Amino acid sequence: MRTFFLLTTVLGLLAIAQPQGRGPDGPSQPANAAPVGRGGTPAGPAYNAQSDRTVTFRFRAPSATLVQLSGDFADNPQTMTKGDDGFWTTTIGPLRPALYTYVFLVDGVRALDPASSMVATADRSPGSSMFEVKGSVAAPYSPQNVPHGSVHINYYSSAKFGHAVRMVYVYTPPGYESNRDKYPVLYLLHGAAGTESSWVTAGRANVIMDNLIAAGRAKPMIVVMPYGRPGESPAMDPFVPPLEPVQNPTGVNAFPNDVVEDVLPFVEKTYRITGKPDDRAIAGLSMGGNQSLQIGLNHLDLFHSIGAFSPVIYNRTVERDQEAALSDPNAMNKKLEVFALYVGDQDSLLDSNKSYHLLLEVKKIKHTFTVSGEGHVWRNWRDYLADFVPKLFR
């Protein structure tokens, strides 16, 4: 049955991708054919970022009745205007210099930019296309002429999740392959809609690390990026059904993972890592931020640095969930080298993060709490990573 479904899916995609079809009135073009690039030619991405930081999008869909532009730059999809030439256009901005995500909605069907290879991967969808509004200086995530590290893709068997074969992405800093040094390590966790590749494709964590290390702002370190949900990753097998939400005894959603049981021993056996708690950090965004708090604060014998970027916080159960650490603030303060929380002032999780921050203050637990602009978006999480990493292993 799977083979039949896969065959029919592939044949359907091939039919859609044909350069020319024939309708009742003669030859016709598919709805998503030939976007127009920066130069107005049928090549290159379907957007043009101007010097005033506005961005114009053009998408050819002559048979469509409605085309919308959706992305993390706006709360709601923006309806595009159809021209006589079959191209739909719209202009957004001005936007602050950053990387943004976007997709087109063609008569309700979600479509990536077919002429762009900049794609942010996601858990159970094709992800989103990306565009950049450049600033006057190079951004932390912009590739620069500096020494570059490597990104390795590793496979391991997860005993916690029924020996499922899973992937973990591992960044090694420049010079790792040419020496025998041991390095500190950061475990970096994705959000609910991400995968083990998201911090590379959407977050550009490897580029951020290259730039920080080259500038002398961060110590050379290894960065481990695992898959954060139970079972096999859809990147391994797209037919794996999503698991039902896991809840703790109070009925609140939990985010089970195998970082401590499987990922940590596998990675620290495979790579040259010091293995000292002072040289081990954990951080993550949204769901991964919640996991970082749960793992880090309940395993202070393993992690002495914790970062939470727009973390999911269940204030009703947080004191019980983190009882091992919160019940003894003095011991916690002695062990933690870095404890940093970040959230945007337009993030839907702002209030729960503020409440958690106040709880930590009442308990006199040393930490930093940074409120930036904007909301629950990758451009914030890249900035948070670039701010957090230089604090580590000093």
Side-chain angles (χ1 to χ4, degrees), residues 13-26:
L13 290 173
L14 288 173
I16 293 173
Q18 292 300 311
Q20 184 170 343
R22 181 167 292 275
D25 300 319

Side-chain angles (χ1 to χ4, degrees), residues 297 300 319 322-336 339 359-366:
L297 294 177
L300 289 173
E319 290 193 67
Q322 300 172 12
E323 183 178 5
L326 299 183
S327 61
D328 192 349
N330 289 332
M332 181 176 170
N333 286 334
K334 288 178 181 178
K335 290 182 178 180
L336 278 178
F339 187 17
L359 172 66
L360 297 177
E361 286 200 324
V362 168
K363 290 184 172 291
K364 294 182 169 52
I365 293 171
K366 297 176 184 177

Side-chain angles (χ1 to χ4, degrees), residues 190-213:
H190 63 78
T195 70
E196 59 274 2
S197 65
S198 293
W199 265 111
V200 172
T201 61
R204 293 194 177 179
N206 56 311
V207 179
I208 292 172
M209 294 304 306
D210 288 343
N211 292 337
L212 290 174
I213 293 170

Side-chain angles (χ1 to χ4, degrees), residues 229-243:
R229 290 191 177 277
E232 287 189 20
S233 165
M236 296 284 290
D237 185 353
F239 292 95
V240 173
L243 297 178

Side-chain angles (χ1 to χ4, degrees), residues 125-141:
S125 80
S128 301
S129 299
M130 295 194 298
F131 69 90
E132 182 176 1
V133 175
K134 293 185 180 294
S136 57
V137 297
Y141 53 78

Side-chain angles (χ1 to χ4, degrees), residues 2-24:
R2 178 184 292 190
T3 303
F4 172 77
F5 176 78
L6 182 59
L7 178 61
T8 55
T9 300
V10 171
L11 290 174
L13 290 173
L14 288 173
I16 293 173
Q18 292 300 311
Q20 184 170 343
R22 181 167 292 275

Side-chain angles (χ1 to χ4, degrees), residues 269-289:
K269 180 181 178 181
T270 307
Y271 292 88
R272 299 193 311 276
I273 293 171
T274 65
K276 301 174 184 177
D278 281 351
D279 288 345
R280 195 185 285 122
I282 188 166
L285 69 91
S286 194
M287 176 188 78

